[in-house]
């Protein structure tokens, strides 16, 4: 092996490592995860885990300040969380966004949660008027779908609807979840931007 | 023609014949996807089988010819009985080849058209008006609307009060008329086991008629790239069940849908996507 | 002539025009940057700014368009027209000679050079770059598909990966044969000293680097989820990454169209005296007919992309049904371009294969006129089949029988090409040189591609196969199995002429068997998963499809490795440790092989006037007498 060959081989290896590193980073990049807290009480022998989100009309900072998003407790857009198999997942959402209506009114129905119901500001509901939906929390593969009631247009700043529901975590696996309101301010034809970028209105629940 | 050439050609013909016959017997007897779960799937299996049975001998003939001319049939350029005039082309095999390929193509096209006409799936934009009535007789098709949206299929049953569900359940042995539409972008509804594939296009009603013949649990999936969760837009819970099971299931769905029924739009073959262009 | 130019250059100070061309690439980078910022500012100003709003789209679209213009301006494409508009004197012979690269040297490959042979070599490098970056994408896609659920990629990055792989490969395939070999050899084969429009020819090449870089920049703009087909209204929803795709694809469309125009004019007007249409080498026929496809089909794509940019900036809703538009508009325009496009890939490859075949069979091409008939038939029919992409779309079912017939009818002219190939091989004493192996593999792979196409053209079987991996494997058999194999055959065959260097025979033969077997292993597995019901472009698939997917992935790694081996042999034997090639190593009668190596800058000292077809191996007559002592025929085959 001459000098030229060694230079060629070394540069190929370096280029390969750089490209491989960049592509792997790009491909596997996921948004930060939401902290899940385990509650003290159990339901029918199942542990209860709490997941808390805030939904806002605009993130306000970061790469896409105008996008709608699910925020974690730190106020960052985040849609990834891990729960143990077989547990009762109790999701609490501080819904601060206004209503924009569903493309398919069917998703105004609460489905797949414990008792097929949710509580909105501690009031039990089984459906909402589809026109009043701001977002939905839907895990299609589990049949879980919950519409999130939008705050009224004339409500004071900081007004929110607290939506709470529970469902049983399925067997191990990764389950995608999303919103069915073609939300996102300033997105062409709805369902763009935040709806198709992980970490805003689309995410994954990992059951372990 | 030398003895050696004759032996070559005989061997070539024999190898091709054995290949062609063995392959065709295998193709004709073996199972052909998409199998037999509906009348449509069976007819697609038959079409694929017939095409394969026709194609295999031609395919193996060309491959055998390439292989033989390359490896088995080498002759020096001017040796033997080859006519120098034929080095640049010979009209007899040309005419024979062209006629044969035209005949094959024409018969394939005619066969395809006949098979298409007898199945009549995918009638495109429906001319029938939307109806909520019960089928008058069991031979009338049961209308099932497939609503595609980013990224889940939901199904509406107009004959059962327009009830909508995210799970597809249909009765066996009854003619089903799928009406496929979309609320946003182009999707494609693929029920592989039944041989149904229809693009879901907003403001378009794509009709597919099929009679399922086997009960079972099957997979439905989207087969047109529709955005982020396209790869997850599938469900393994589509069911073909007996009529009595279907009746019980649809009752249960009607009960589940009770809170939302008053909000659902009147049944229609297409729905106006809202917001139309610019999200708010 | 070259000596004169060098002599004058020594005495006179270099002119401004020459200085500008010398610094072309650096100025181009500056021009692209300025163009981008000016365009971005104008676009944002025109429509208003905002996060992912219409204004941002306008900014990116205009920014990328102007950056491409700036790039070309920096390269010096507008110097000549602007100087003429300003009434400056015409360029001196000295300047023109410099532009043509008369002085030789490596630098002319990195600036605007109007020598078609330099452009051919530039295409070789660009095509290989597109092929290997795109191929890297394929490796990552196959890695992800080892498991039925996402592991290495997310749903978002996977779709961008799929889009990048497919679009880069389409860019590559649009010019894989016509770019390197068409530009290099068509003028030589017809007895011309250059192309009809040399600056335009350089332009078609220099559109490629900005197109590739703009497309790759999509990863910094959020990617795009539409694959290479860019279906609207999904394209309307996409983030800024979609704008990269639109501009990149329109640059490629422009390149295809202009290259078509140039080739047509060249072949019609610049043929040497005595070079009649009935004496054109079959490869020239392939390129000539392909050029009509490019010239007529690419405008449909450019129109569709223009409409899509209106949708994305001014809410024209041309593709949004709720706004009065139709998704079918995009589907029809796109496939009106897209189906002729696949014949833009394969027709030059047919030509190249038939051009090389007689060299190894040592006999005339059997049925030259039949071959032209086949190529013409494919060209004409290819404009009449595009709706077979819409068989399940619900659009106008009454049209299906017609498109089924026209699609099946295209197998008749394609069959003629096989007839010519088989007739040429029949009873021939074929020389098993390395390119011949690739020719045999081409015939085998395209045969599978063609026969799988019959299943897709027949409407009832298409209902189950449409939009699945069967389609994917089908077009990989035609593009990868046929066109890329023709590219490899062409490189092994023509590199001794283009570079004076040759690839190692034993290694290349080993590489051939590796690539042939692993290719078929990969795509036979994928044909099977398609028949068993796997849709295209999915990150998750049904559990029962895993074994076949694993087999496809393992073979794909071998395929990727053997393609890398090809690149390695090429770089090693041509660049790092040059292996000098014999003159006319394949003992061809083609005129290109009877010119000195390297080919003189203006090809011919005196243009020959007596021409014959270059396949007269029974009489051994060279296509034209070029006055260069011909290497002796009849030696051993390398």
């Amino acid at each position: 092996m001459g000098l030229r060959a060694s230079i060629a081989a070394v540069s190929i290896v370096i280029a390969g490592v750089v490209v491989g590193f960049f592509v792997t980073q790009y491909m596997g990049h996921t948004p930060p995860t939401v902290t899940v807290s385990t509650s003290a009480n159990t339901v029918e022998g199942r542990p209860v885990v709490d997941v808390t989100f805030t939904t806002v009309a605009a993130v306000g900072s970061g790469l896409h300040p105008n996008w709608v998003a699910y925020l974690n407790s730190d106020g960052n857009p985040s849609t990834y969380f891990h729960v143990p198999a077989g547990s009762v997942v109790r999701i609490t959402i501080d819904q601060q966004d206004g209503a924009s209506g569903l493309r398919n009114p069917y998703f105004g129905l609460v489905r797949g949660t414990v008792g097929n119901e949710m509580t909105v500001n501690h009031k039990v509901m089984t459906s909402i008027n589809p026109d009043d939906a701001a977002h939905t929390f839907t895990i299609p593969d589990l049949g879980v779908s919950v519409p999130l009631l939008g705050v009224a247009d004339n409500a004071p700043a900081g007004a929110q609807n607290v939506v709470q529901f529970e469902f049983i975590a399925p067997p191990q696996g990764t389950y995608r979840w999303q919103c069915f309101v073609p939300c996102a301010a300033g997105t062409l034809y709805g369902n763009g931007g935040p709806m198709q970028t992980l970490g805003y209105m689309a995410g994954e629940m990992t059951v372990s | 023609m030398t003895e050696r050439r004759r032996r070559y050609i005989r061997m070539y013909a024999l190898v091709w014949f054995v290949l062609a016959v063995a392959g065709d017997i295998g193709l004709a007897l073996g199972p052909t996807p998409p199998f037999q779960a509906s009348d449509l799937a069976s007819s697609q299996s038959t079409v694929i089988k017939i095409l394969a049975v026709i194609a295999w001998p031609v395919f193996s003939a060309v491959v055998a010819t390439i292989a033989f001319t390359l490896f088995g049939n080498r002759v020096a350029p001017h040796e033997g009985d080859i006519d120098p005039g034929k080095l640049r082309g010979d009209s007899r095999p040309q005419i024979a080849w062209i006629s044969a390929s035209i005949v094959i193509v024409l018969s394939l096209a005619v066969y395809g058209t006949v098979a298409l006409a007898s199945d009549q799936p995918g009638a495109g934009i429906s001319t029938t008006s939307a109806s909520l009535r019960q089928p008058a007789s069991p031979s009338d098709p049961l209308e099932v609307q497939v609503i595609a949206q980013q990224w889940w299929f939901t199904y509406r049953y107009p004959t059962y009060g327009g009830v909508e569900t995210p799970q597809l359940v249909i009765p066996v042995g009854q003619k089903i008329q799928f009406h496929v539409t979309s609320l946003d972008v182009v999707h494609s509804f693929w029920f592989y086991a039944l041989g149904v594939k229809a693009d879901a296009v907003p403001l378009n009603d794509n009709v597919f008629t099929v009679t399922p013949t086997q009960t079972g649990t099957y997979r439905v999936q989207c087969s047109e790239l529709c955005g982020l969760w396209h790869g997850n837009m599938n469900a393994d819970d589509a069911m073909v069940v007996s009529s009595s099971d279907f009746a019980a299931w649809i009752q249960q769905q009607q009960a589940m849908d009770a809170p939302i029924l008053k909000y659902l739009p009147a049944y229609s073959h297409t729905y106006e996507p809202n917001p139309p262009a610019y999200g708010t | 002539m070259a000596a004169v130019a060098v002599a004058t250059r020594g005495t006179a100070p270099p002119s401004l025009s020459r200085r500008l061309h010398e610094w072309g690439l650096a100025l181009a980078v500056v021009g692209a940057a300025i163009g981008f910022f000016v365009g971005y500012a104008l676009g944002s100003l025109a429509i208003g700014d905002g996060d992912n709003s219409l204004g941002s789209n306008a900014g990116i679209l205009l920014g990328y368009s102007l950056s491409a213009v700036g790039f070309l301006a920096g390269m010096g494409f507008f110097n000549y027209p602007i100087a003429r508009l300003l009434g400056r004197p015409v360029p001196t012979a000295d300047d023109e000679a410099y532009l043509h690269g008369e002085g030789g040297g490596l630098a002319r490959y990195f600036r605007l050079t109007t020598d078609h042979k330099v452009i051919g070599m530039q295409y070789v490098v660009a095509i290989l770059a597109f092929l290997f970056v795109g191929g890297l994408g394929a490796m990552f896609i196959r890695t992800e598909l080892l498991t039925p659920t996402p592991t290495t990629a997310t749903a978002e990055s996977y779709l961008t990966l799929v889009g990048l792989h497919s679009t880069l490969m389409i860019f590559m395939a649009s010019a894989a044969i016509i770019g390197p070999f068409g530009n290099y050899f068509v003028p030589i084969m017809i007895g011309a000293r250059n192309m009809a429009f040399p600056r335009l020819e350089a332009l078609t090449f220099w559109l490629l680097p900005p197109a590739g870089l703009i497309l790759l920049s999509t990863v910094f703009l959020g990617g795009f989820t539409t694959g290479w087909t860019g279906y609207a209204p999904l394209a309307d929803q996409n983030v800024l990454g979609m704008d990269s795709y639109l501009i990149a694809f329109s640059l490629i469309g422009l390149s295809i169209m202009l290259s078509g125009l140039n080739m047509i004019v060249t072949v019609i007007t610049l043929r040497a005296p005595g070079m009649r249409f009935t004496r054109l080498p079959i490869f020239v026929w392939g390129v000539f007919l392909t050029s009509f496809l490019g010239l007529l089909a690419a405008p449909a794509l450019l129109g569709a992309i223009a409409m899509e940019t209106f949708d994305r900036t001014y809410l024209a809703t041309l593709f949004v049904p709720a706004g009065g538009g139709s998704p079918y508009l995009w589907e029809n325009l796109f496939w009106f371009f897209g189906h002729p496009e696949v014949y833009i890939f394969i027709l030059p490859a047919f030509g190249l294969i038939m051009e090389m075949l007689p060299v190894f069979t040592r006999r005339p091409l059997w049925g030259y006129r039949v071959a032209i008939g086949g190529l013409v038939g494919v060209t004409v029919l290819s404009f009449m089949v595009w709706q077979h992409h819409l068989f399940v779309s619900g659009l106008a079912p009454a049209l299906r029988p017609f498109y089924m017939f026209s699609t099946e009818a295209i197998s008749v002219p394609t069959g003629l090409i096989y007839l010519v190939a088989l007739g040429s091989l029949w009873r021939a004493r074929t020389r098993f040189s390395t390119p011949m192996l690739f020719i045999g593999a081409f015939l085998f792979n395209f045969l599978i591609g063609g026969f799988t196409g019959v299943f897709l053209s027949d409407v009832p079987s298409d209902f189950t196969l449409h939009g699945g991996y069967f389609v994917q494997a089908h077009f990989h058999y035609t593009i990868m199995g046929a066109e890329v194999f023709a590219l490899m055959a062409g490189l092994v065959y023509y590199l001794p002429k283009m570079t004076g260097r040759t690839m190692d025979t034993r290694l290349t033969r080993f590489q051939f068997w590796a690539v042939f077997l692993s290719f078929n292993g990969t795509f036979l597995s994928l044909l099977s998963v398609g028949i068993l019901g796997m849709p295209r472009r999915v990150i998750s698939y049904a559990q029962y499809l895993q074994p076949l997917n694993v087999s496809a992935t393992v073979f794909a790694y071998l395929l990727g490795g053997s393609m890398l081996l090809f690149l390695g042999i090429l770089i090693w034997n041509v660049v790092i440790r040059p292996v000098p090639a014999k003159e006319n190593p394949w003992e061809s009668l083609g005129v290109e092989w009877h010119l000195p190596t390297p080919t003189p800058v203006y090809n011919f000292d005196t243009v020959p006037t007596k021409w014959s077809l270059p396949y007269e191996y029974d009489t051994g007559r060279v296509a034209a007498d070029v006055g260069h002592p011909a290497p002796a025929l009849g030696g051993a085959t390398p």
Side-chain angles (χ1 to χ4, degrees), chain A residues 91 102 104-120 123-130 133 135-139 142-149 163-167, chain B residues 152 164 166 253 255-261 263:
Chain A
I91 297 204
L102 277 155
N104 185 352
Y106 175 70
F107 293 107
L109 179 71
V110 183
R111 223 191 129 104
T113 60
V114 174
N116 284 336
E117 60 185 32
M118 62 172 173
T119 64
V120 179
K123 208 176 87 193
V124 174
M125 294 179 91
T126 55
S127 73
I128 65 167
N129 184 338
H135 299 284
T136 75
F137 178 98
T138 307
I139 310 177
L142 301 183
V144 171
S145 180
V146 177
L148 306 183
L149 190 64
V163 182
Q164 196 176 58
F165 53 90
E166 291 157 357
F167 61 91
Chain B
W152 210 4
E164 188 168 342
Q253 292 304 311
M256 270 188 89
D257 268 14
I260 198 70
L261 269 180
Y263 294 118

Side-chain angles (χ1 to χ4, degrees), chain B residues 2-280:
Chain B
T2 63
E3 184 51 35
R4 204 179 101 232
R5 269 190 61 65
R6 233 176 263 135
R7 211 169 53 232
Y8 267 132
I9 289 180
R10 240 179 277 134
M11 198 170 90
Y12 160 74
L14 184 72
V15 167
W16 169 74
F17 185 76
V18 170
L19 263 178
V21 169
D24 266 2
I25 290 175
L27 287 169
L29 297 182
T32 313
F35 313 113
Q36 325 284 332
S38 77
D39 58 340
L40 210 55
S42 311
S43 93
Q44 287 167 5
S45 289
T46 314
V47 170
I48 292 180
K49 194 170 280 218
I50 287 174
L51 286 181
V53 166
I54 295 174
W56 173 251
V58 184
F59 176 79
S60 50
V62 180
V63 173
T65 312
I66 294 175
F68 262 79
T69 49
L70 280 181
F71 301 108
N73 194 21
R74 297 190 231 170
V75 194
H78 297 291
E79 176 199 290
D81 58 338
I82 193 158
D83 175 359
K86 291 180 177 173
L87 275 176
R88 285 177 179 75
D90 181 353
S91 58
R92 267 193 310 173
Q94 290 170 3
I95 292 167
W97 180 285
I98 295 171
S99 328
S101 54
I102 287 178
V103 166
I104 292 176
V105 162
L106 272 179
S107 42
L108 281 181
V110 168
Y111 172 66
T113 312
V114 170
L116 182 63
S118 61
D119 284 348
Q120 291 187 333
I125 297 149
S126 162
T127 47
T128 57
S129 60
S131 65
L132 285 171
R133 63 186 175 80
Q134 290 283 339
S137 72
S139 61
D140 275 5
L142 170 71
E143 198 170 319
V144 177
Q145 183 173 49
V146 180
I147 304 172
Q149 61 244 297
Q150 287 168 315
W151 292 268
W152 210 4
F153 289 112
T154 55
Y155 309 90
R156 268 192 107 171
Y157 295 80
T159 39
Y160 296 92
V163 62
E164 188 168 342
T165 87
Q167 187 193 3
L168 178 62
V169 178
I170 45 177
V172 71
Q174 190 175 352
K175 197 181 253 187
I176 311 287
Q177 198 173 51
F178 285 112
H179 287 254
V180 184
T181 190
S182 164
L183 296 182
D184 33 52
V185 301
V186 180
H187 302 265
S188 191
F189 172 68
W190 190 6
F191 198 141
Y192 172 73
L194 298 193
V196 173
K197 185 180 287 141
D199 277 9
V201 179
L203 290 181
N204 185 52
D205 176 31
N206 202 352
V207 185
F208 239 80
T209 310
V210 63
T211 309
T213 51
Q214 279 175 17
T215 58
T217 306
Y218 302 107
R219 184 179 177 91
V220 288
Q221 54 201 342
C222 178
S223 81
E224 184 57 67
L225 186 49
C226 58
L228 180 63
W229 294 119
H230 164 62
N232 300 67
M233 193 166 162
N234 53 49
D236 283 316
D237 61 355
M239 289 167 83
V240 176
V241 297
S242 66
S243 348
S244 54
D245 285 354
F246 177 74
W249 176 82
I250 199 85
Q251 257 184 357
Q252 185 199 341
Q253 292 304 311
Q254 280 170 324
M256 270 188 89
D257 268 14
I260 198 70
L261 269 180
K262 64 171 183 274
Y263 294 118
L264 291 187
Y267 179 75
S268 155
H269 281 145
T270 60
Y271 303 94
E272 188 87 13
N274 183 47
Y278 201 55
T280 48

Side-chain angles (χ1 to χ4, degrees), chain A residues 165-181:
Chain A
F165 53 90
E166 291 157 357
F167 61 91
I168 312 286
Q172 276 192 351
T174 302
Y175 300 81
R176 52 117 184 181
W177 66 274
Q178 63 164 103
C179 159
F180 271 92
V181 174

Side-chain angles (χ1 to χ4, degrees), chain A residues 41-62:
Chain A
N41 49 354
T42 58
V43 176
E44 291 166 6
R46 296 173 183 276
V48 177
V49 294
D50 271 302
V51 188
T52 309
F53 289 108
T54 310
T55 51
V56 291
V59 179
S61 61

Side-chain angles (χ1 to χ4, degrees), chain A residues 8-206:
Chain A
V10 169
S11 46
I12 287 171
V13 168
I14 292 175
V17 169
V18 169
V19 170
F21 179 76
F22 179 77
V23 178
T24 330
Q25 283 298 305
Y26 175 76
M27 288 204 325
H29 177 77
T30 51
T33 44
V34 180
T35 331
V36 173
S37 57
T38 310
S39 148
N41 49 354
T42 58
V43 176
E44 291 166 6
R46 296 173 183 276
V48 177
V49 294
D50 271 302
V51 188
T52 309
F53 289 108
T54 310
T55 51
V56 291
V59 179
S61 61
L63 218 54
H64 303 290
N66 293 351
W67 280 8
V68 289
Y70 277 91
L71 303 182
N72 61 14
S73 50
D74 302 332
N76 294 321
S78 177
T79 50
Y80 275 61
F81 59 96
H82 299 263
V83 294
S87 60
V88 174
V89 183
R90 183 161 65 199
I91 297 204
T92 312
I93 299 171
D94 297 338
Q95 206 298 112
Q96 302 177 351
D97 197 2
S100 48
L102 277 155
R103 222 166 223 169
N104 185 352
Y106 175 70
F107 293 107
L109 179 71
V110 183
R111 223 191 129 104
T113 60
V114 174
N116 284 336
E117 60 185 32
M118 62 172 173
T119 64
V120 179
N121 301 329
H122 305 294
K123 208 176 87 193
V124 174
M125 294 179 91
T126 55
S127 73
I128 65 167
N129 184 338
D131 292 337
D132 296 339
H135 299 284
T136 75
F137 178 98
T138 307
I139 310 177
D141 291 346
L142 301 183
V144 171
S145 180
V146 177
L148 306 183
L149 190 64
V151 296
D153 286 345
N154 53 4
Q160 62 178 31
N161 291 320
V162 180
V163 182
Q164 196 176 58
F165 53 90
E166 291 157 357
F167 61 91
I168 312 286
Q172 276 192 351
T174 302
Y175 300 81
R176 52 117 184 181
W177 66 274
Q178 63 164 103
C179 159
F180 271 92
V181 174
C183 48
T187 306
L188 295 165
Y189 197 47
N191 280 9
M195 298 288 292
Q196 301 208 35
T197 306
L198 295 172
Y200 290 85
M201 278 285 147
E204 284 179 356
M205 175 180 77
T206 308

Side-chain angles (χ1 to χ4, degrees), chain C residues 44-398:
Chain C
S44 314
L45 210 68
I47 304 191
D49 208 350
D51 182 53
N52 189 34
S53 69
L54 307 165
S56 298
N57 281 322
I60 297 286
L61 285 168
L62 214 53
Y64 275 151
S65 310
L66 289 192
S67 89
V69 172
F71 181 86
L72 296 175
M75 289 304 299
F77 280 99
F78 306 124
N79 297 3
Y80 179 75
I82 288 175
R84 300 296 289 143
L85 282 175
L86 296 178
R88 309 245 326 215
V90 289
T92 60
D94 208 17
D95 285 341
E96 283 294 306
Y98 173 75
L99 198 61
H100 198 81
E102 274 183 17
L106 202 60
R108 68 196 163 131
Y109 291 97
F110 296 93
R111 62 172 172 87
L112 197 176
T113 307
T114 52
D115 184 357
H116 65 93
K117 295 179 288 298
V118 172
I119 295 169
M121 288 308 296
Q122 289 171 330
Y123 261 110
V124 171
V125 176
I127 291 303
L128 290 177
F130 279 100
L131 180 63
F132 281 90
V133 176
L136 189 69
M139 294 300 109
F140 285 107
I141 291 172
R142 284 315 317 170
T143 306
E144 172 50 53
L145 291 178
L146 273 171
T147 54
T149 49
T151 41
T152 57
T154 61
E156 196 184 331
S157 55
Y158 180 76
L159 286 178
T160 299
L161 204 60
V162 168
L164 279 177
H165 163 71
S166 53
T167 316
L168 278 172
M169 287 304 200
I170 293 294
F171 290 4
M172 178 278 294
S174 314
I177 305 295
I178 208 168
F181 309 119
N183 281 301
Y184 201 108
F185 290 109
V186 163
I188 299 178
M189 284 174 170
I190 64 171
R193 309 185 87 193
N194 205 351
M195 296 286 282
F197 306 118
R199 282 188 176 78
L200 196 66
E201 191 195 17
L203 179 72
T204 58
F205 168 75
W206 283 106
L207 283 169
L208 258 61
L213 292 175
I214 288 176
L215 184 73
L216 285 174
S217 76
T218 191
V219 298
F220 303 110
L221 295 172
F224 63 103
T225 61
T226 61
W228 83 279
T229 50
Y231 270 22
L234 179 62
D236 284 28
Q237 293 179 346
N238 260 261
V239 290
L240 299 173
M242 194 71 211
D243 300 329
S244 306
Y245 162 91
L246 293 173
I247 296 299
F249 216 154
S250 57
L251 293 179
I252 292 293
L254 206 59
S255 169
I256 295 173
M257 189 173 79
L258 295 177
S259 142
L261 178 78
N262 200 357
M263 285 288 180
I264 291 172
V265 177
T266 305
V267 172
I268 290 179
T269 62
L270 291 190
R271 277 168 298 124
M275 170 52 87
R276 310 219 307 248
F277 270 104
T278 48
R279 289 171 191 165
L280 284 182
I282 196 70
F283 175 60
V284 178
W285 269 107
V287 171
F288 181 55
L289 291 166
T290 308
S291 302
F292 284 97
L293 294 181
L295 183 66
L296 298 175
L301 172 78
L302 295 176
I305 287 180
M307 292 180 189
E308 181 56 42
T309 60
F310 297 154
D311 259 24
R312 288 177 63 79
T313 50
Y314 284 100
L315 286 177
T317 62
L318 287 159
F319 302 121
V320 179
S326 171
Y328 291 128
L329 180 61
W330 175 273
E331 292 184 8
N332 276 293
L333 283 173
F334 184 82
W335 287 117
F336 184 80
F337 154 77
H339 208 81
E341 166 84 342
V342 302
Y343 290 100
I344 293 177
F345 302 164
I346 203 65
L347 279 187
F350 280 151
L352 186 63
I353 291 297
M354 288 193 284
E355 185 71 36
M356 292 188 288
L357 203 48
V359 179
F360 300 104
T361 58
R362 309 309 292 172
R363 291 177 26 183
L365 185 68
W366 190 87
Y368 170 73
R369 278 158 205 264
V370 176
I372 298 174
L375 293 173
V376 171
V378 173
T379 307
V380 172
L381 279 174
S382 68
F383 278 109
M384 303 182 192
V385 298
W386 82 91
Q387 280 223 355
H388 63 218
H389 295 272
L390 308 180
F391 276 159
V392 300
S393 72
L395 177 67

Side-chain angles (χ1 to χ4, degrees), chain C residues 571-587:
Chain C
I571 293 177
W572 188 253
N573 286 158
V574 172
V575 184
I576 300 177
R577 281 285 164 82
V579 179
K582 283 194 285 182
E583 255 185 53
N584 197 2
W586 321 110
E587 301 179 337

